[in-house]
Amino acid sequence: MGKGIEAIENLARQLARLPGVGRKTAHRLAYFILDMSADEVALLAESMLTAKQKVRFCSVCGHYAVEDRCAICQDPQRSSAILCVVRDPRDVLAMERMNDFTGRYHVLHGVLSPMEGVGPDDIRIKELLARLEPEGVEELILATNPDVEGEATAAYIARLAKPKGVTVTRIAHGVPIGGNLEYIDELTLKRALAGRRAMDE
Amino acid sequence: MGKGIEAIENLARQLARLPGVGRKTAHRLAYFILDMSADEVALLAESMLTAKQKVRFCSVCGHYAVEDRCAICQDPQRSSAILCVVRDPRDVLAMERMNDFTGRYHVLHGVLSPMEGVGPDDIRIKELLARLEPEGVEELILATNPDVEGEATAAYIARLAKPKGVTVTRIAHGVPIGGNLEYIDELTLKRALAGRRAMDE
């Protein structure tokens, strides 16, 4: 010791793997954890192990699931006619928080990115196309992010899905609610303008 | 589900107990942990349990220890004549990083704070006074923080220790190295001025 206690240093090293946790923050968290009761530390550690152990990906849509199929895929109330395609499970959670979408999802687990070597076979596009006919999908909402990879992925999927007779749509991009035109980036503004609608619509 | 998966929500709740981790960050960390490999999650969880299990407080000085006495208290090279009094074990680690202090420590595990109901019996002052004579302490360096509680605690200890024939000193407060006078708070500047020394000293 003198230079620090191994068990603490090891904990700090592990914590520093978390996103946004630098060396200093890792030590601060480590000391905080040492100050917690043994029961609290056990709860924290167990919650990690349990989450990692219990949570898997739905075999149908790729969302987080605790069984083979996720709760959304198991829900008979959800319409198979509309399928919303997203990049990862967090996006499903964001959509669900909206509490307004009654269709189902398809999680790609990534987006096309030639720069990072992610091609069509590396994300769940094949699985998506295989769902269209059997599930009677009528509309495919492409809800990947409005960045270069997200757009390219949406365009790629659209090209493959359209010939299968489904309506392919893209979520609207524009000025966020509460956003200020002055501070909006040009691309968003351009999109907002291109996507303008008649006021009486 | 639909509204979120219990194991993930539980993990996020546990993570949100950590300092500086709000609801949003807790979820971000939870998703990150789900993306880690099972082995990595196990390492992280174990490092917490191990640290909490192995690390205790030195029965003599109150610093972090893996045995009954910490490595510093066990080190015969460290002088018993000078005892540095700090608020908590982190302060010992900070002092040790300096690599310059060869005396021993006494960790109070808190400072006097009437506002928060912390009195002399709630911190390790009794234990400190009991060490002075048997260990042959000649100088007591009071290194509590230069804030209201730290000052009050230092003054309180000084009053009790001086009659026992030890030299009681307080660490110097002043402009930090690399600090800019323009941005230094007034109290620090006042201290820096009051603590001025002759240049040829």
Side-chain angles (χ1 to χ4, degrees):
Chain A
M1 201 186 63
K3 294 285 132 270
I5 293 181
E6 185 46 35
I8 302 179
E9 291 305 311
N10 184 44
L11 172 54
R13 260 196 307 277
Q14 293 297 330
L15 289 167
R17 292 159 166 260
L18 297 174
V21 178
R23 204 186 142 277
K24 257 191 163 165
T25 305
H27 277 86
R28 197 163 52 90
L29 290 175
Y31 300 139
F32 183 88
I33 288 169
L34 285 174
D35 275 347
M36 287 164 65
S37 76
D39 282 353
E40 286 173 325
V41 177
L43 266 177
L44 175 58
E46 274 168 29
S47 68
M48 288 179 186
L49 297 170
T50 304
K52 184 63 194 171
Q53 211 167 41
K54 278 203 179 166
V55 180
R56 50 174 126 173
F57 297 122
C58 173
S59 66
V60 178
C61 76
H63 183 41
Y64 291 134
V66 282
E67 298 173 48
D68 177 59
R69 285 164 66 215
C70 76
I72 297 172
C73 282
Q74 285 186 40
D75 186 349
Q77 307 277 9
R78 308 288 297 235
S79 163
S80 291
I82 306 183
L83 205 57
C84 179
V85 179
V86 295
R87 177 198 177 117
D88 61 40
R90 282 89 139 161
D91 299 328
V92 176
L93 296 173
M95 290 286 293
E96 288 297 290
R97 274 197 294 277
M98 193 176 60
N99 227 334
D100 196 41
F101 178 69
T102 56
R104 295 173 186 268
Y105 296 94
H106 188 83
V107 182
L108 295 170
H109 283 276
V111 280
L112 297 178
S113 172
M115 295 287 285
E116 292 176 29
V118 182
D121 291 339
D122 299 314
I123 60 176
R124 301 179 69 251
I125 291 180
K126 230 177 21 255
E127 291 86 341
L128 168 63
L129 298 173
R131 289 179 68 183
L132 301 181
E133 204 186 342
E135 295 188 25
V137 176
E138 293 164 14
E139 182 180 354
L140 207 58
I141 304 176
L142 301 176
T144 50
N145 289 328
D147 50 22
V148 177
E149 285 97 352
E151 293 297 346
T153 308
Y156 183 87
I157 293 174
R159 207 162 50 237
L160 293 175
K162 274 180 193 162
K164 294 185 180 272
V166 294
T167 305
V168 180
T169 59
R170 182 90 175 99
I171 49 164
H173 301 311
V175 179
I177 306 297
N180 188 324
L181 280 197
E182 194 178 344
Y183 302 115
I184 292 295
D185 65 290
E186 290 162 37
L187 191 58
T188 302
L189 207 52
K190 211 169 139 187
R191 291 293 185 81
L193 204 62
R196 67 190 182 278
R197 295 178 173 209
M199 290 286 286
D200 53 339
E201 190 183 13
Chain B
M1 202 187 63
K3 294 285 133 269
I5 292 180
E6 185 47 35
I8 302 179
E9 291 305 310
N10 184 43
L11 172 54
R13 260 196 307 277
Q14 294 296 331
L15 290 167
R17 291 158 168 262
L18 298 174
V21 178
R23 202 185 144 278
K24 256 189 163 166
T25 306
H27 277 87
R28 196 163 52 91
L29 291 175
Y31 300 138
F32 183 88
I33 288 169
L34 285 174
D35 276 347
M36 287 164 65
S37 76
D39 282 353
E40 285 173 326
V41 178
L43 266 178
L44 175 57
E46 273 169 28
S47 67
M48 289 178 186
L49 296 170
T50 304
K52 183 65 194 170
Q53 211 168 41
K54 278 202 181 167
V55 180
R56 49 174 127 175
F57 296 122
C58 173
S59 65
V60 177
C61 77
H63 183 42
Y64 291 132
V66 281
E67 298 175 44
D68 177 60
R69 285 164 67 216
C70 76
I72 297 171
C73 282
Q74 285 187 40
D75 185 349
Q77 308 277 11
R78 307 291 295 235
S79 163
S80 291
I82 306 182
L83 206 57
C84 178
V85 178
V86 295
R87 178 200 176 114
D88 61 39
R90 282 88 138 163
D91 299 328
V92 175
L93 296 173
M95 291 285 295
E96 287 297 290
R97 272 197 294 276
M98 192 177 59
N99 229 334
D100 197 40
F101 178 69
T102 56
R104 294 171 187 270
Y105 296 94
H106 188 84
V107 182
L108 295 171
H109 282 277
V111 281
L112 297 177
S113 172
M115 296 287 285
E116 292 177 27
V118 182
D121 291 339
D122 299 314
I123 60 177
R124 302 179 68 251
I125 290 180
K126 230 178 20 258
E127 291 86 341
L128 168 62
L129 298 173
R131 291 179 67 183
L132 301 182
E133 206 186 342
E135 295 188 24
V137 176
E138 292 164 16
E139 181 180 354
L140 206 58
I141 304 177
L142 301 176
T144 51
N145 288 329
D147 51 21
V148 178
E149 285 96 352
E151 293 297 346
T153 307
Y156 183 88
I157 293 173
R159 208 160 52 236
L160 294 175
K162 274 180 192 160
K164 294 185 181 270
V166 294
T167 304
V168 180
T169 58
R170 181 94 175 96
I171 49 163
H173 301 311
V175 178
I177 306 297
N180 187 323
L181 279 197
E182 195 177 342
Y183 302 116
I184 291 296
D185 65 290
E186 292 162 35
L187 191 59
T188 301
L189 207 52
K190 211 169 138 186
R191 291 292 186 81
L193 204 64
R196 67 190 182 278
R197 296 177 174 210
M199 290 285 287
D200 52 340
E201 190 183 13

